Amino acid sequence: MQQPEARIRAGEIRRSSSIRAGFDAERAWRVQLLASQGIHATLAGLAPGARWHGTTLEFDSADDVEVTLNGHGITLLPSVFWTGRPLVGRYAQSTFLVYPAITPLPLLDDSTTNALATLLGRTRAAILEQLTRPRTTTDLARQLDLAKSSVSEHTKALRDAHLATAHRDGKTVWHSCTPLGLGLLTGSPRARIES
């Protein structure tokens, strides 16, 4: 029987992995959106009610806050915990915007994950969840405690279903999620096969 401390650590590791997966999925989704629809759509899509007024991005807010960047950038910080309106702040000489991530944090059993595991199988669903950022076959095998040959078979099935892509860099094969695969993970209605 597992000791209570070991069970707590295992739970913390699973939650930490879930949080990281949430950030990775958010970043992958925003990069795909940026590539397909541009910066205006990407930034306006950060929160409901966001809109452009000329060169000014506006959000609905109870407070009257205006932030001028004066040629400086802004750091976008998705939060898997925050579900309210975007929050703007300054740290040192940097401006940041905290906004709700599109990927919910599965603190308990997530029905989306269970449905995806039912559809794809637990192992393929787990591999797809890892592919929100590029991973090698070796990375996946190590992360999921699988044989490389098993990872190769599963990633081939995901590629055949247009849920993942792969590219070779020397002897290394890098795998990543397609927009369709990401759509399955996030529950996005815009997922489609790009030809």
Side-chain angles (χ1 to χ4, degrees):
M1 185 161 134
Q2 206 177 24
Q3 296 298 318
E5 296 86 19
R7 283 195 303 262
I8 290 170
R9 274 186 301 231
E12 288 172 358
I13 290 169
R14 278 194 302 276
R15 255 180 287 179
S16 173
S17 295
S18 294
I19 292 168
R20 177 61 189 239
F23 284 121
D24 290 343
E26 175 69 23
R27 184 179 57 240
W29 174 251
R30 296 294 170 190
V31 167
Q32 187 268 333
L33 189 63
L34 179 64
S36 66
Q37 297 183 25
I39 190 72
H40 277 81
T42 301
L43 293 177
L46 292 177
R51 63 207 163 274
W52 285 95
H53 183 77
T55 59
T56 302
L57 180 61
E58 298 177 344
F59 295 98
D60 292 331
S61 174
D63 303 324
D64 188 22
V65 177
E66 184 173 320
V67 176
T68 305
L69 297 177
N70 294 324
H72 293 91
I74 188 165
T75 302
L76 301 178
L77 298 171
S79 174
V80 293
F81 302 107
W82 179 250
T83 58
R85 293 181 175 118
L87 304 171
V88 178
R90 291 195 185 272
Y91 179 75
Q93 295 183 350
S94 176
T95 303
F96 62 89
L97 178 79
V98 178
Y99 65 95
I102 60 167
T103 307
L105 180 62
L107 290 176
L108 303 172
D109 266 350
D110 182 8
S111 61
T112 304
T113 303
N114 290 339
L116 193 58
T118 301
L119 178 66
L120 300 176
R122 279 197 322 255
T123 303
R124 284 193 187 134
I127 289 172
L128 187 62
E129 288 171 356
Q130 292 293 314
L131 297 182
T132 55
R133 63 185 182 144
R135 305 273 188 164
T136 66
T137 304
T138 303
D139 291 338
L140 292 168
R142 191 177 310 123
Q143 182 75 27
L144 300 171
D145 196 25
L146 298 169
K148 289 182 192 177
S149 59
S150 178
V151 168
S152 294
E153 287 178 32
H154 288 296
T155 54
K156 181 183 181 326
L158 292 170
R159 284 193 314 273
D160 290 346
H162 303 283
L163 300 176
T165 62
H167 77 275
R168 185 172 291 279
D169 182 17
K171 291 183 177 181
T172 304
V173 177
W174 288 89
H175 307 277
S176 57
C177 213
T178 64
L180 180 62
L182 188 59
L184 273 177
L185 289 171
T186 61
S188 169
R190 293 182 181 202
R192 66 184 188 281
I193 297 174
E194 301 288 336
S195 11

